[in-house]
């Protein structure tokens, strides 16, 4: 009996295979017919995949059964505070520090007392051309949940 | 000589005046002709206002000169880690923990080595009606900056 | 213009009035016709009250308008890590440390990939008589939310 | 001489065997005739098992003697702060942050000065059907202990 | 309405009165007919006192009603990590770091799986004369509680 | 050349051998003619042993030379904050949080300005029968050291 | 007897006076005949000033004797980790995280084993025009100190 | 399939090869025709290299393909708080603690509300001869970015 | 009844009086006939003074009774981690990080298993003239205590 | 190509060889003709050695080339906060907490605004016989550096 391969080990193998075969995250997502942020997050270990999805990914990337089993397993999500200081990720953290309280005020003003769900939720990323330099546009889209006793 | 009123003291007076007079953040933003997330963030202490903007806000809310002077002053931005555990704000933190590494991968795949600026940047919040419950839609929109030596 | 009284200052006055007048949390909850855990949490600053609820509480306890205004305001929830080391509260923290991963496994086994909502949620506390010593019975009851993109 | 297999290594093997053989936590608990939360917690490393219990689990899952020996050993309980940020577990943490002080007030009001034991204690988890979405119901049930010098 | 005086403010007044009147902790304990460690801890804010006890202390020390009311109120216990670095207290912390795991092993060897209660518990401090220098002898005495589901 | 086996590796082997051979900490201490808390702490890595003591332990437990060498080496004492959250050890931590300042007051009242030594020091653990449940009695006994310039 | 005004209180009054009188940091530095980064740092509380310097600053800004006395006093330098998350300051922190180890390598390659002094040290800030956007140029200039026993 | 060699493992091999072959960071930078601080940072894992750059480095140092592949991969930047306490790096940290707020004031005075970019950015290190001891001169040079909504 | 003035408030008044009257720490120590490091530490709040010492200090500095009472009271020692980042103090912290383990090795080599007492202890500071720049010489001198059960 | 052996791995081998061959730190220092604290610190990984010194140490202790190479390499100094809680090292930490601010005051009084260098610096340890118990005498001796812009 061997343990199930950890999600982070599986992610390392996926990144290596993807790089060596020259396959983009978008191509994997297209293959699965799934949104690209969801797919990337799942392959990095943040969502469980169905057996069919896991099999397709492993076929495409030439990975074998232990990776497939790992992709299907239930994750512990998040973790990894140390990644938050990477500059590309940190700018999102800084944006929350600056605009978080304003978002809270405006959610309460528009919707009442409650939150944006992070479970019934999706994220999208797009490139918006701009003469002054193209822009990264990230959309958080979650169901409003009101405090209901 | 007295110190300039702190941004957090000014914000408390603004929140109190806004509540008692029944004026929404949107109405203040409309009055200034400025985006509502920017306006709310500025009034909570995260952006300096011009003299004209500060004067308009104080007139509308019945606040006097020390608040106006405070609104015009240059802030120390961010701070306040303790606000991140408020459930309404925490869901954004959790979304970053779950999707941050995926966003990093996709920014590099689409744009190359670099970041989304948090300075040449805007945030919008909208309500999207949905039969299963309306949704909070937050858009982060920042210029891509590539690592350039 | 004065700031709105902070939730913690209001809570201190409520505790003082409650003690001096000999009124229990249950009696306040009965007066409001609201669940006792909800009522206590709200009076300690964790939920906003309606104008009518705030007025009733202040009448009952002999508190005046600034407390009423504070009770109606929108809270920053949580905070206060230092309270978690109080022995009465710490036992719940310890229970999570010991049983948290088991609860996660069983939620996924029974419901699939998702969480117990802490927003569409209620808590109850009861005393269960027992010959070996009465028991504290606390029930967490939240809607299951599945990860849905 | 080799060290006793660590509780976390044993837990990884148990999870792997359980998944591959398609055996649920409930089925293991039934086999042992023990409560399911207790059983799951014990198999994840939080309680020592008797020799008989450990043997039954290992038989059922096809695991060998080192796992059995590990299951019987005395644990260091808790640990693992990093698991608390997993969304499924975090909602319990958030509930404590919001309702912990209220529970303390009500325990003292009902029972006097003391605590709910986390040792003479049990936890149960149930699914409650609800037309608006089924609910996760978790019950903490501990003996009241009064401060007694 | 004024808040109840905080336990730490009351403790500061008690220490001041005790010092100025030259009354020892032991004398206060004798007056109350209570153990001296319990009495000292209670006066420093760690235990609620009965009305009679609080009145006797205030009479003895010449303190007035707000201190008495504070002494009777229910405390948040513990807190104050910063006091642990005081050398007199730190030596106990160091002793736990060095001997804590050994005490755990021996409690389990002697009593089985469980803990020493810190609620059904007492502490005593004595001076033991010794030709090589007198000794501080501190006894922790708590009921054994076994893990019982 | 190989490094000296770490104290924690040696402790794991000692615990494994002790368990498999069914030898108690007390029996080892008796064999050595040393106090049981001291012996247990030393075997868990907190005190160096003499060559003779280390040899006797290894003989009794069937362990070989690298363990013996490790037991004789000088330790870094303490460490391991994570063990402090184990419930059996945590109750001592909690007792210090509640009673530490009182012990400081009483040490100063009885002995003057100084500390209880944690070096010229011993700890004992005993079981005291009690009709309401037997009690764990732990005694800290250290030489008083006064601040002396 | 009153305490000396704290450096941070003095800095707040200096910032207020500077803003209200419309005097720049550069003008103050010119008045003193001192480098502008040194002057600004000193007025924010990081260096003691001579009596003559302190008098000149107070005259220019219309501040009185307690500020002058504070400016002359010896500071505790640094402090204030919370300022490091302000975006304008954070970019320097990030640059250290990315380039710090490279600077260490190159200092050792060029100078041998040692450090750049932060005491025998100066900092300058300049604006360098650039058609793609002007640049902030900050120079750290410290004496090399080699490890010398 | 094997994972891509980590940036830190690659950096260790580069440092070893560089030392054993007696090749300086400057020589590597010259070979690449790239700035020396950039080159050193990239080889320590902070920047991705082009295929051509990675090949040249590996040829020069006698390293093989896995190092080359690692050098080309996209890094997580920063990390490693523990390196900040190395005395050679710490002096920069201390300089930020002492001069950071002054730099912020002067950037705002000279450029307005904004930051020095750490992305469109370069660092240089030079030796400046000085009769009192040569000096380490480090220049941070980044594009000014103004807050622009 | 008023609380005893805190040690830090007393220290601020002492520093202010010392500065305004132009009296050095050495002069105060001479007046008391006590070592200068001890005296300075005591006046900054780290040691209790006798009534006679406290009176002499207050007379010399023109301070009144509450300061005298504060100086005589028993301190909580240490505290204030934030002072450790002041560069003048930090150099001692850094020296411990670099040389602490070596000192431990040498204490054990020379004295056996034990510690240097920080209670039966003194510190001295001297200036040693040196043609390359005078030197700060600080001596820690503590009684060796061996681990003795 | 293999990485250079880490300083901590080298230190472990040195400690093992030293112990097994019965060679003291002083004997190694004598062999090198270097101060004993410097030698011990260098062998524990805090200073680079010359090729000649490294060779002599390895010859004396019977260690081979990888250790020699490691000893010559440039260290990251310090690190290891966890060692600071070892009682033998902690007493120095405590002494800094108690006497650090007094040392700062006296350095400024005697030398003016500046620091004791920790680079141009030496440490010595001696045993001073004393009828009441021998004493550990540790001397910190560093060049005074004044703040000089």
């Amino acid at each position: 009996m061997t343990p199930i391969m950890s999600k982070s080990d599986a992610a390392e193998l996926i990144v290596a295979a993807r790089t060596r075969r020259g396959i983009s995250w978008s191509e994997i997502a297209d293959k699965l017919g799934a949104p690209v942020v969801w797919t990337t997050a799942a392959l990095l270990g943040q969502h469980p995949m169905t057996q069919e999805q896991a099999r397709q990914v492993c076929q495409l990337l030439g990975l074998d059964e232990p990776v497939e089993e790992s992709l299907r397993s239930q994750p512990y999500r998040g973790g990894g505070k140390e990644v938050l200081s990477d500059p590309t990720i940190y700018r999102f953290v800084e944006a929350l520090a600056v605009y978080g309280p304003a978002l809270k005020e405006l959610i309460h003003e528009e919707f009442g007392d409650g939150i944006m769900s992070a479970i019934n939720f999706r994220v999208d990323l797009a490139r918006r051309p701009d003469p002054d330099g193209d822009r990264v546009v990230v959309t958080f889209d979650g169901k409003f949940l009101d405090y209901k006793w």
Side-chain angles (χ1 to χ4, degrees), chain A:
Chain A
M1 185 67 60
T2 54
I4 294 177
M5 180 184 285
S6 76
K7 292 274 185 186
S8 58
D9 284 354
E12 284 196 18
L13 292 178
I14 286 164
V15 166
R18 198 187 69 83
T19 302
R20 288 170 194 153
R21 299 198 163 199
I23 297 174
S24 70
W25 297 108
S26 300
E27 286 165 343
I28 307 176
D30 285 353
K31 173 82 175 209
L32 295 181
V36 68
V37 180
W38 182 89
T39 303
T40 309
L43 295 176
L44 295 175
Q46 297 293 324
H47 291 301
M49 285 190 151
T50 65
Q51 185 158 6
E52 182 52 26
Q53 290 170 323
R55 188 167 331 156
Q56 283 181 301
V57 167
C58 288
Q59 244 171 12
L60 185 64
L61 295 172
L63 296 163
D64 47 21
E65 209 284 331
V67 175
E68 190 183 317
E69 186 188 33
S70 179
L71 286 172
R72 293 163 54 198
S73 69
Q74 174 68 36
Y76 270 76
R77 288 177 166 98
K81 269 192 200 213
E82 68 284 357
V83 311
L84 299 183
S85 60
D86 173 78
T88 307
I89 297 180
Y90 183 78
R91 293 310 179 270
F92 291 89
V93 176
E94 187 177 292
L96 274 196
V98 173
Y99 298 105
L103 292 173
K104 176 177 166 68
E105 287 288 338
L106 292 168
I107 287 172
H108 296 324
E109 175 161 310
E110 175 61 30
F111 294 87
D113 185 21
I115 66 158
M116 172 195 75
S117 179
I119 307 299
N120 190 323
F121 179 68
R122 60 178 296 147
V123 194
D124 295 292
L125 180 143
R127 178 187 199 120
R128 188 154 60 68
D130 186 297
D132 292 344
D134 286 3
R135 298 180 74 84
V136 182
V137 180
V138 174
T139 311
F140 286 9
D141 173 342
K143 185 179 173 186
F144 177 71
L145 305 179
D146 58 318
Y147 266 94
K148 184 191 296 185
W149 188 267

